[in-house]
Amino acid sequence: MSGDDLRKRFEAAFMPNYGVPPVALARGEGCRVWDADGREYLDLIAGIAVSSLGHAHPALVEAVAAQAATLAHTSNLFLHEPEVLLAERLLGLLGGDGRVFLANSGTEANEAALKLAIKYGKANGRTYFVAAENGFHGRSMGALSLTGKNAIREPFGPFAIDVRFVPYGDADALEAAVDERCAAVFLEPAQGEAGVVPPPDGYFAAARRICDATGALFVADEIQSAIGRTGAWFAFQHEDARPDVLTLAKGLGGGLPIGACVAFGDHGDIFAKGDHGSTFGGNPVSAAAALAVLDTIDKDGLLANAAEVGETLAAGLEAIDHPLLKGVRGRGLWRAAVLTGPHAPAVEAAARDAGFLINALQPDALRLAPPLTLTAAQARSFTAAFPTILDAAASAVKES
Ligand SMILES: *Cc1c(COP(=O)(O)O)cnc(C)c1O
């Protein structure tokens, strides 16, 4: 079916919450994807920082196919080897001392963290939560209540829990907001959906110290940043500020749906039997995919690749002198190209016409979150083409 046909039928069959995406993708291989009409693109968004190994990676294909052919689902009435290996593997990467809950998505990982924090608060007379303005933690009602982006939060309020929002990156404001009645602080290591906005150096370490001083749980939402995105397994490792609870999802399954909530030390014992659950969470196929992702990142040195190629990408963008381009921010293969005006949709469209998939994340910011397997040559092919893309976007903006 042609892309146009698919778009028409999509529009008729689906709720309008996504609008109609501009491209129907048909297949992928490595960092390249092809649309339904056979056009090829370099994929610099990886399904929103998800396809960490690129597309159709043999290790992922083999793990998923073999597991599906062996046992695809057990529910949590039974346990299975891939989930045990995965939980142990995650704890190993995190220093050992904790426990894991497996979910299917980012928002579900945060729901688990929130329920843990509510239970912790009830046991200790702690009644409120702190999160950041413009933060994003997911679309389900608990995670949404922690989400500081008013446009997506307010239509669905009021919310059942008391969340106080502080300006992101301001350690003094955080300190002033957190006291002995605060159950938990939820923070991203850099704000992904807000435009890949990193905090000042030392912010995560300050959050750790503030939570230690008051007894509030420090919950790090690493759903977008974990599993090599920033060049480290976990972004908190750059500041050595380990949270009490960590949530992750996107890149973990390499495209298969899986999320995880990890609680360290005694916090791993907060849930009692029956407190939480998920029929699909940690299912054998997704767990096998995640194990293949972790193995491949290790074996192929993809943390170092993300750090190095991320620098190549950033340096290439920084070297461009163009009236539409202000600069670049972020770390590893998690970057935003920042524009001088609200032209991100026009630049996204011009990039697509030139064969590059990037994401107009904010009116003035484009997200680059390619597979961790991106090569330096692929990064340079984009930065070499970007001035022409910006020119095309500038003329499109003028004409409209
Ligand atoms: C994507 C994201 C979520 C939500 O994940 P879903 O899998 O879409 O539910 C939560 N927090 C952060 C930081 C994210 O980037």
Side-chain angles (χ1 to χ4, degrees), residues 78-145:
F78 308 96
L79 62 86
H80 55 87
E81 185 171 307
E83 67 177 350
V84 173
L85 296 181
L86 176 60
E88 289 177 351
R89 190 72 191 279
L90 287 173
L91 292 174
L93 292 173
L94 287 162
D97 161 36
R99 291 177 189 273
V100 177
F101 173 81
L102 291 175
N104 309 285
S105 66
T107 205
E108 286 172 82
N110 279 340
E111 292 294 325
L114 181 57
K115 281 179 69 176
L116 269 188
I118 288 171
K119 209 175 164 200
Y120 173 80
K122 285 196 169 167
N124 297 287
R126 295 169 178 273
T127 53
Y128 73 91
F129 297 80
V130 170
E133 291 169 6
N134 296 318
F136 183 77
H137 298 292
R139 303 281 197 157
S140 54
M141 289 302 284
L144 187 59
S145 66

Side-chain angles (χ1 to χ4, degrees), residues 391-400:
D391 285 342
S395 355
V397 167
K398 230 176 259 157
E399 274 160 34
S400 68

Side-chain angles (χ1 to χ4, degrees), residues 97-307:
D97 161 36
R99 291 177 189 273
V100 177
F101 173 81
L102 291 175
N104 309 285
S105 66
T107 205
E108 286 172 82
N110 279 340
E111 292 294 325
L114 181 57
K115 281 179 69 176
L116 269 188
I118 288 171
K119 209 175 164 200
Y120 173 80
K122 285 196 169 167
N124 297 287
R126 295 169 178 273
T127 53
Y128 73 91
F129 297 80
V130 170
E133 291 169 6
N134 296 318
F136 183 77
H137 298 292
R139 303 281 197 157
S140 54
M141 289 302 284
L144 187 59
S145 66
L146 295 162
T147 289
K149 193 178 168 193
N150 289 338
I152 64 174
R153 170 192 156 85
E154 259 155 26
F156 301 97
F159 296 91
I161 66 167
D162 176 8
V163 183
R164 306 184 184 169
F165 292 98
V166 294
Y168 185 70
D170 180 342
D172 293 338
L174 186 63
E175 184 149 32
V178 179
D179 65 24
E180 276 70 22
R181 302 190 63 79
C182 175
V185 173
F186 281 73
L187 290 173
E188 298 163 82
Q191 288 190 315
E193 296 308 300
V196 193
V197 182
D201 285 346
Y203 184 59
F204 244 47
R208 177 66 279 170
R209 181 177 49 72
I210 290 162
C211 289
D212 283 340
T214 55
L217 284 185
F218 178 23
V219 183
D221 179 344
E222 289 229 28
I223 284 163
Q224 193 160 158
S225 55
I227 315 298
R229 186 56 42 205
T230 65
W233 281 111
F234 304 95
F236 79 77
Q237 293 171 327
H238 295 294
E239 285 193 9
D240 207 16
R242 195 172 81 165
D244 299 305
V245 178
L246 176 76
T247 56
L248 56 153
K250 289 189 168 87
L252 177 61
L256 275 284
I258 189 164
C261 173
V262 183
F264 297 105
D266 294 347
H267 304 312
D269 300 321
I270 291 175
F271 278 154
K273 190 174 175 191
D275 276 344
H276 197 48
S278 163
T279 301
F280 293 114
N283 88 80
V285 177
S286 293
L291 284 167
V293 167
L294 299 177
D295 280 346
T296 305
I297 288 175
D298 239 349
K299 196 161 65 54
D300 293 353
L302 296 182
L303 298 183
N305 191 69

